[in-house]
Amino acid sequence: MAIQRAETADQARDTVNGWQTDGLSVGFVPTMGALHEGHLSLVRASVAECDRTVVSIYVNPTQFGPGEDLEDYPRRLERDCRAAEQAGADLAFCPADRAMYPEGYSTWVVQEGLTEVLEGEHRPTHFRGVLTVVCKLFNCVPADRAYFGQKDFQQTVVVRRMVRDLNMPVSIRVMPTVREEDGLAMSSRNAYLNEAERRQALCLYRALGEAHRLYRNGERHADALRAAMERVIAKAPLARADYVDIVDARTLRRAESADEQAVAVLAVRIGKTRLIDNHPLGEEFPEH
Ligand code: AMP
């Protein structure tokens, strides 16, 4: 079936409501486009679990800070719609900026506690933008389930908290990080990397692997795990870490000792490109 397209909230909501009236379950995959296998794995998960699948493709300006890559962010709408269709999606919701943020827009979803650390410390307005757009998208696409990637670990935690705190009637599903052959987490931002940067970008995956290896060998001092990750990053001359940390998966607080709830997280600039990755230490490491 050819993918349908919706450009306004009403079009998207009417289609979703129609399916639900017919007794069909609806899955939703919010994205900023430039779709890769990571995004498509979420679409496939939704297609497997739900009768209908909606993908949104919207580069949300409010989650970018000043001086970030909003202007350069890759936009490939036609290709994205074809890829979403091939992965089995039924509807692409592609709103224009003026439909999402009309003149005089002034309402925000702000969360306290989980959003000031890690990404929030380095991108202070990021999660206000993310939560606002996700809330708006959930109102436009009132799906039964919404799919997010483990790749953006903090985002999954803050979205789950918003859904719980605001009684949103949607169930959040988090799917594993999809990686390139060598282990680099897929990201739309990988397209910014030149050849040398692409090689050194592997330091994120290697640092996570090192933390995992030490944890498996019994190391429980979070500081030792952090130091080991930092040593791996320091070997890549083009890499500069924004943060390298071991945090508790529920609170996102810095862990003193690592347990099954601990997640290794990092954000590293490779040249001008900022990449993030993470690995829950209690889980198997994805060897590449
Ligand atoms: P984005 O377009 O970057 O906003 O991402 C849209 C969704 O795709 C988010 O839930 C991301 O966590 C998810 N995603 C991005 N990259 C990956 C990946 N490599 N593996 C799994 N999910 C991903």
Side-chain angles (χ1 to χ4, degrees), residues 229-251:
M229 291 167 73
E230 276 160 7
R231 279 195 296 276
V232 176
I233 303 299
K235 282 193 206 142
L238 298 172
R240 253 186 321 113
D242 267 3
Y243 60 83
V244 170
D245 218 337
I246 306 290
V247 300
D248 182 277
R250 297 152 299 190
T251 63

Side-chain angles (χ1 to χ4, degrees), residues 30-32 36 38-39 42 73 148-149 151-152 155 176-178 186:
T31 82
M32 296 209 300
H36 50 64
H39 299 115
L42 303 182
Y73 201 85
F148 291 85
K151 156 84 179 6
D152 296 276
Q155 173 169 280
T177 301
V178 177
M186 288 194 182

Side-chain angles (χ1 to χ4, degrees), residues 12 24-26 44 49 61 82 84 87 91 102-104 107 110 114 130 144 156 160-161 195 253 256 261 265:
L24 301 173
S25 62
V26 179
R44 291 190 194 104
E49 294 178 355
R82 280 200 302 279
L91 175 69
E103 187 69 31
T107 304
V110 175
L114 297 171
V130 168
D144 303 285
T156 67
R160 279 198 153 125
R161 178 66 64 86
E195 230 173 89
R253 287 205 199 107
E256 269 179 41
Q261 290 296 330
V265 290

Side-chain angles (χ1 to χ4, degrees), residues 181-199:
E181 232 163 72
D182 60 359
L184 176 68
M186 288 194 182
S187 163
S188 307
R189 292 190 166 100
N190 292 349
Y192 300 148
L193 301 169
N194 66 30
E195 230 173 89
E197 290 168 343
R198 172 64 185 81
R199 276 196 302 275

